Amino acid sequence: MSGFKGSAGQGTLLTFDCYGTLIDWEEGILAGLREAYPEADDAEDAVLMHDFHSAQNRLKTSEYRPYRQLLAETAELVAQSNGWRAPPGRSCMVPDSVPAWQPFPDTNAALSKLDGAGVTLGILSNIDNDLLAGTLERFGVAFGRIATAQDLKSYKPAASHFERGRAWARTHDAWVHVAQSLFHDVVPAAKLGIPVLWVNRKAEALPEDVAPVHISADLAGAVKWLLPSG
């Protein structure tokens, strides 16, 4: 397997982070929190997401647990930190909402073009298998390679997902990992020497020591670069 040096097509493996790159993860989290905790309606989106990221990152530093459990525990911490009152078990509504989370508007059109070009599509995701199963129904294409946190008992930015991708890539001519999250995907992949295409949906600043093979504001732009003659 070599680095990406031209147009994607047969022989190219493209792996994707799913939630945040293909699926509108933040809108899904916000909707799930507000369904579970009515008091969250009064909180600003940015404040809720800050609280969520802070709580989840603290939990991910401890031993592995299924994402369903991790997401429920994160929701409980967010509720506690904001003083929201809810019946026991209300936090389970947040992971239960995952299959209802929607793709970004450009996702399915982009995947369709890549699939039509003969690219092998894969997913490297911090998710449970049953939750991902519901999400996969929202895509118009099939993914030939899938690795989840449940499979690997590990969460990105740890290396296990990327090493699984590297193993898949041995049977391909080229591999590019496509992702939005700097923390979970772009920075760790780049440090491992993996060609990574950054879908910079949030207009963030790139760290000086990270060099993606390409930066695009959305998946539509990524596909134009990957399939220049398409």
Side-chain angles (χ1 to χ4, degrees):
M1 186 276 294
S2 62
F4 185 75
K5 297 179 180 179
S7 298
Q10 291 186 357
T12 303
L13 170 66
L14 294 180
T15 55
F16 292 84
D17 166 61
C18 186
Y19 301 93
T21 304
L22 303 177
I23 294 290
D24 194 340
W25 178 85
E26 290 195 354
E27 285 299 315
I29 286 293
L30 291 169
L33 285 172
R34 287 176 173 139
E35 181 180 8
Y37 303 103
E39 291 167 286
D41 285 341
D42 297 328
E44 296 181 1
D45 290 357
V47 173
L48 278 182
M49 289 311 306
H50 176 271
D51 291 348
F52 182 89
H53 283 298
S54 296
Q56 187 176 77
N57 287 340
R58 290 200 303 275
L59 290 171
K60 280 184 179 177
T61 62
S62 57
E63 66 182 15
Y64 170 81
R65 76 264 273 158
Y67 191 66
R68 181 182 290 277
Q69 179 184 344
L70 177 64
L71 196 49
E73 291 178 3
T74 301
E76 289 179 358
L77 287 178
V78 173
Q80 291 170 9
S81 67
N82 285 279
W84 302 334
R85 298 179 180 179
R90 182 63 64 90
S91 62
C92 293
M93 295 174 67
V94 180
D96 286 344
S97 73
V98 171
W101 297 358
Q102 296 295 312
F104 286 101
D106 59 353
T107 292
N108 276 311
L111 292 176
S112 179
K113 288 181 180 179
L114 293 168
D115 185 60
V119 173
T120 298
L121 302 174
I123 285 178
L124 300 174
S125 181
N126 284 347
I127 196 68
D128 297 342
N129 295 332
D130 65 325
L131 297 178
L132 180 62
T135 294
L136 292 175
E137 295 179 3
R138 302 198 173 274
F139 301 133
V141 302
F143 288 83
R145 303 284 188 273
I146 293 174
T148 65
Q150 182 177 356
D151 294 333
L152 301 169
K153 301 298 185 288
S154 175
Y155 287 103
K156 297 177 292 180
S160 295
H161 283 77
F162 304 109
E163 293 304 329
R164 179 63 58 87
R166 198 188 299 276
W168 296 338
R170 294 192 185 105
T171 59
H172 292 78
D173 298 326
W175 172 32
V176 179
H177 184 56
V178 183
Q180 177 272 323
S181 174
L182 287 169
F183 176 76
H184 293 99
D185 290 90
V186 177
V187 171
K191 288 183 177 180
L192 288 168
I194 296 166
V196 58
L197 191 161
W198 184 26
V199 182
N200 188 12
R201 293 191 181 275
K202 302 170 71 174
E204 298 174 278
L206 181 69
E208 293 183 359
D209 59 343
V210 178
V213 296
H214 185 69
I215 302 173
S216 174
D218 53 28
L219 275 179
V223 170
K224 288 182 180 178
W225 184 78
L226 289 163
L227 303 175
S229 60

